[in-house]
Amino acid sequence: MLDNLEFEGNVYLIDDFKYDLKIDEVKNTDYNMTFEKYWDAIKDIFQDGDIIAGYSLGCLYSILIVEKLEKYRKIDKCILIDGPLDFYNDEVPEREDALNFINQLFDLGIDADELGPEGHDELIDKMVEIFNVNMVWDFPAAKINDTPVIYLATSQDLEGELENIAKNGEFIFIKGTDHLSIISGDVKKIVKYFK
């Protein structure tokens, strides 16, 4: 996706810090800790006119970051790519569902060696735990006042949800793609919204 962007400003990629933890440490994290890590990573380096973008669960954190940032920064736009728009979730997926999703990530070319020194089985167990920890959150509902928000979605299920979050929101249904392909094989369908 980054190779196809023509945006002149800064793009911030925030990795999930839990990949650097041991599995027992992952089990002791939660949604508040995750948000605080993301917020601490971006609050002091974000510049007026930059874009905030989030993919998948990153959409939720992007919304929360924009809500806090726009009180003292001018954000060009917030781009949400195929993620949740609700501020509460307690549905932990079955292990088989988590494994299916993780296998799809490996199929996209994620290098297991870059995710830590663990053996294969231990790494898979850690990724399942990260997946499960990331599926539970309970944030106060956020409201974005001034920043334009573009939500790029692979289904029309959440079309009505955006208006509850952003005063200046635009829902765009991206046909013919899926959750993983939208940021890999089908990127030309979405990078134009970063201009």
Side-chain angles (χ1 to χ4, degrees):
M1 189 177 86
L2 284 176
D3 290 341
N4 286 274
L5 286 184
E6 296 178 13
F7 177 60
E8 298 282 327
N10 296 312
V11 176
Y12 305 95
L13 298 176
I14 305 175
D15 198 1
D16 191 333
F17 74 100
K18 292 188 284 299
Y19 290 114
D20 294 328
L21 302 179
K22 296 179 179 156
I23 190 166
D24 290 339
E25 294 172 318
V26 171
K27 291 178 180 180
N28 291 321
T29 64
D30 64 17
Y31 57 92
N32 280 313
M33 188 182 296
T34 301
F35 175 69
E36 289 304 322
K37 291 281 188 182
Y38 291 167
W39 173 246
D40 288 344
I42 202 166
K43 66 179 179 175
D44 295 327
I45 60 172
F46 188 88
Q47 299 175 29
D48 285 344
D50 288 345
I51 290 175
I52 295 268
Y55 164 68
S56 194
L57 185 58
C59 291
L60 181 63
Y61 292 112
S62 296
I63 292 165
L64 295 163
I65 288 170
V66 167
E67 181 187 43
K68 288 181 80 164
L69 262 184
E70 72 175 2
K71 293 174 183 168
Y72 61 95
R73 288 280 187 258
K74 169 84 173 98
I75 304 163
D76 184 76
K77 66 182 101 168
C78 173
I79 300 174
L80 307 174
I81 306 170
D82 211 40
L85 298 179
D86 56 324
F87 296 95
Y88 174 78
N89 189 68
D90 64 356
E91 295 180 18
V92 177
E94 297 290 331
R95 181 175 173 83
E96 185 176 332
D97 294 335
L99 287 171
N100 286 338
F101 187 77
I102 289 163
N103 285 330
Q104 289 176 46
L105 294 178
F106 284 125
D107 289 345
L108 282 177
I110 288 182
D111 185 352
D113 292 336
E114 293 178 11
L115 296 176
E118 296 92 354
H120 180 267
D121 292 343
E122 187 180 350
L123 173 64
I124 294 299
D125 287 342
K126 183 169 90 169
M127 290 188 71
V128 168
E129 191 63 39
I130 290 170
F131 192 85
N132 289 339
V133 168
N134 282 351
M135 289 295 97
V136 177
W137 62 84
D138 186 9
F139 288 108
K143 194 77 167 173
I144 296 175
N145 292 314
D146 301 318
T147 304
V149 178
I150 300 172
Y151 183 78
L152 307 171
T154 62
S155 90
Q156 294 176 299
D157 293 346
L158 300 177
E159 188 167 1
E161 299 295 319
L162 187 59
E163 63 190 36
N164 298 326
I165 296 165
K167 289 183 179 177
N168 186 10
E170 181 180 4
F171 181 93
I172 298 170
F173 174 49
I174 308 294
K175 297 177 184 173
T177 190
D178 59 46
H179 186 67
L180 293 174
S181 299
I182 195 172
I183 60 156
S184 55
D186 295 331
V187 291
K188 292 190 176 166
K189 295 179 178 180
I190 63 171
V191 293
K192 60 186 174 184
Y193 296 103
F194 282 80
K195 294 180 182 178

